[in-house]
Amino acid sequence: MSGPEHAYAEAEGAGEPDRRYANADLLPAETGEFRWHWWDFAAVWVCVSWSLAHLVLSGLPGQDRFSWPQTLLICGIALLVVLLPSFLVEHAGDRYGLPFAVFARSAFGVRGAALPALLRFAAACVWFGFQTDLALRGLTLLAAGDDFEGFLGPAYLAFLAVQLWIVTKGPNGLRAFANVAAPVLLLGLLGTLLWVSTHAEGPMLPRPERPIGWGAEFWSAAAPALASATAVFAAVGLTVPDLVHLGGARRGAEGPGSGHRPGVGVLLPLVMTGMLLYTMALMSGSGYEGSVPLLEHAVAGMPGGPLLAAVMLIVATLCTNLGLNLVSAAYDLSSTVPSLLRFRGAAVIAALVGSAVVWQTRDTADYPVLEWADTAEGFFGTVAGILVAEYWIIRRTRLRPDQLYRRGGPYWYTGGWNWRAVVAFLAGGVLAVGGSTGGSGREEPLLPFLAPLDDFGWLVGLVVAGGLYAALTPRARSAARAED
């Protein structure tokens, strides 16, 4: 035994993990090639934040009535609602070096963790399709023509080939690309802002023609905007731990996991806030109205502008697609059949499934990703609530990582499934998404009486599932504390 498996066994004082539930990619990241540094995470967050800021602000309901502080407040609350539970989950990834799909076994069971893993896998494939579509728009700028359909096939194949080339190098492929992509993107964003500021068609920060005050009218108008922003951020909330665990398990005097450091995930909301302000300035200063891609509009008339816009969009989208979609999807799919699929093979499958999503929706007038995200956020909230309750309330942040890869241990539950987690997931999921139409074309939700909860699906799922799971496990909580 050598490499990651040897380091794992040495760190835990355990034998080789059961290969039916483990492979080298899923073992705790501790040293060597897996170790990421804070600047590696910052580079990924820069690229991710630009894509998210553009997506959130382009689809924010009622944004023409909000001042920039109000828009920033709405997005800040959405980030807090989503990322606070994420930081609590991130603690396990940072402390024990565990990918999300393996950490989820502590609550759902060694086999039952396939439920949230496959849910995330499906979500990642949908987002992959949407992000790929954005990148293709950037590639058409390079083509500098209106023959989009004729250029589509070669452009997509080239884009897919680049993504596969990077992701099949493993997480370090993403790290290497992000460290190059982030400076390129930042320089491009700076150049674009300078151009817009010297050719401004309006104020550099939004000043609505029909401003809304800060009273009850604002909060009433802010509710759907907050729901929209939360839906976009929701998938990110459960993706952060997959990247954070690459920093490696923290070692202290008491062994692995005892030397926890402040989470590098906290860099994300800081970078995100800056990108939101930047994007608002770009949209306001350029007089953007959403008829064409933002970057194409912002650099109109700028020498070399179309080329700059294309490079920026492609770089940001590539990094976002890899960091938020393919990496998490690869871990999720690999964790369901570890003996058959390693990270690289699972990433290729995820890319191909995502490609099918792209081509299936190319003929539709509207890609319903925001409506779909609004539904998915409720399920993501239930998963986050269950994991927060398991890790912080029941386990008190203490795990036995070696047992997450074996049957018959404390995380095996009944046949590898924890029925309490499944019940909490279903109950929270029904309440969180039952009032949503989910972009299905229906005018009425499946359960109309739950419609008032639709705008707050993430919170409903988080609170209901987490609370129910904690209530169902008093004996399990006592047993977990007895083990300490």
Side-chain angles (χ1 to χ4, degrees):
M1 182 169 56
S2 62
E5 295 178 354
H6 174 72
Y8 170 81
E10 181 183 61
E12 298 298 331
E16 188 173 347
D18 190 332
R19 293 187 177 275
R20 289 172 295 180
Y21 309 110
N23 60 48
D25 296 321
L26 297 175
L27 296 179
E30 296 201 21
T31 58
E33 64 172 343
F34 289 103
R35 181 62 58 84
W36 282 32
H37 302 283
W38 68 265
W39 55 84
D40 299 314
F41 293 105
V44 175
W45 298 156
V46 164
C47 297
V48 166
S49 294
W50 159 248
S51 295
L52 287 176
H54 179 210
L55 182 59
V56 167
L57 295 176
S58 295
L60 198 68
Q63 62 174 320
D64 59 328
R65 302 188 62 192
F66 299 130
S67 64
W68 69 265
Q70 290 172 328
T71 300
L72 201 62
L73 176 63
I74 291 170
C75 294
I77 294 174
L79 274 171
L80 179 65
V81 166
V82 170
L83 292 183
L84 182 57
S86 175
F87 292 156
L88 296 177
V89 174
E90 171 202 320
H91 187 283
D94 188 29
R95 185 176 190 181
Y96 296 99
L98 297 169
F100 169 89
V102 173
F103 167 58
R105 295 175 180 179
S106 64
F108 285 85
V110 175
R111 288 176 172 170
L115 177 62
L118 291 177
L119 172 66
R120 282 206 327 164
F121 174 79
C125 290
V126 172
W127 279 108
F128 176 94
F130 178 70
Q131 293 289 348
T132 299
D133 186 64
L134 289 182
L136 289 177
R137 291 176 181 268
L139 288 170
T140 59
L141 294 179
L142 282 175
D146 297 327
D147 185 17
F148 180 73
E149 293 300 327
F151 185 69
L152 180 60
Y156 183 79
L157 291 176
F159 184 67
L160 179 62
V162 171
Q163 292 185 97
L164 291 177
W165 178 69
I166 296 173
V167 80
T168 51
K169 295 180 179 296
N172 275 342
L174 168 63
R175 175 172 63 177
F177 177 76
N179 283 332
V180 174
V184 170
L185 180 61
L186 287 174
L187 287 174
L189 292 174
L190 177 60
T192 303
L193 184 62
L194 290 174
W195 172 262
V196 170
S197 65
T198 56
H199 298 77
E201 298 181 14
M204 288 304 294
L205 284 172
R207 296 177 187 172
E209 295 181 0
R210 298 179 298 116
I212 186 172
W214 285 94
E217 185 183 5
F218 165 71
W219 294 107
S220 176
L226 179 61
S228 176
T230 302
V232 174
F233 293 141
V236 180
L238 290 184
T239 302
V240 169
D242 264 334
L243 294 176
V244 168
H245 98 280
L246 294 168
R250 301 293 95 201
R251 285 181 175 271
E254 300 176 7
S258 61
H260 177 67
R261 64 181 177 182
V264 292
V266 75
L267 291 170
L268 178 56
L270 296 178
V271 176
M272 188 74 230
T273 300
M275 284 297 181
L276 286 166
L277 280 170
Y278 173 90
T279 305
M280 280 191 281
L282 208 63
M283 295 174 72
S284 179
S286 65
Y288 179 69
E289 297 180 352
S291 58
V292 296
L294 172 59
L295 286 176
E296 181 183 4
H297 175 80
V299 299
M302 177 182 179
L307 176 61
L308 176 64
V311 170
M312 291 168 60
L313 184 56
I314 292 169
V315 163
T317 306
L318 270 172
C319 197
T320 301
N321 230 1
L322 294 167
L324 295 186
N325 298 323
L326 286 188
V327 168
S328 61
Y331 278 122
D332 291 334
L333 188 59
S334 176
S335 72
T336 63
V337 283
S339 61
L340 299 178
L341 276 178
R342 293 283 298 273
F343 178 93
R344 291 164 175 80
V348 171
I349 292 175
L352 294 178
V353 173
S355 298
V357 173
V358 176
W359 290 106
Q360 184 178 3
T361 57
R362 284 308 309 169
D363 294 331
T364 63
D366 183 33
Y367 193 98
V369 67
L370 294 180
E371 292 84 354
W372 185 90
D374 182 51
T375 300
E377 68 161 325
F379 287 115
F380 289 139
T382 64
V383 174
I386 291 169
L387 294 182
V388 168
E390 165 71 15
Y391 184 64
W392 288 92
I393 298 176
I394 297 171
R395 301 288 174 181
R396 297 190 301 179
T397 76
R398 298 187 179 184
L399 296 177
R400 297 172 60 185
D402 60 309
Q403 296 300 320
L404 292 169
Y405 304 90
R406 293 184 174 85
R407 63 182 299 149
Y411 310 116
W412 186 250
Y413 298 104
T414 303
W417 287 76
N418 183 3
W419 66 266
R420 300 173 185 85
V422 175
V423 169
F425 174 83
L426 294 176
V430 168
L431 291 176
V433 308
S436 172
T437 61
S440 61
R442 295 193 309 267
E443 295 184 0
E444 293 291 331
L446 182 63
L447 300 174
F449 67 94
L450 293 178
L453 301 180
D454 181 40
D455 285 343
F456 309 98
W458 169 272
L459 273 178
V460 171
L462 180 81
V463 173
V464 172
L468 180 58
Y469 181 76
L472 289 173
T473 55
R475 294 180 62 185
R477 185 187 305 114
S478 300
R481 290 178 178 174
E483 290 177 3
D484 295 338

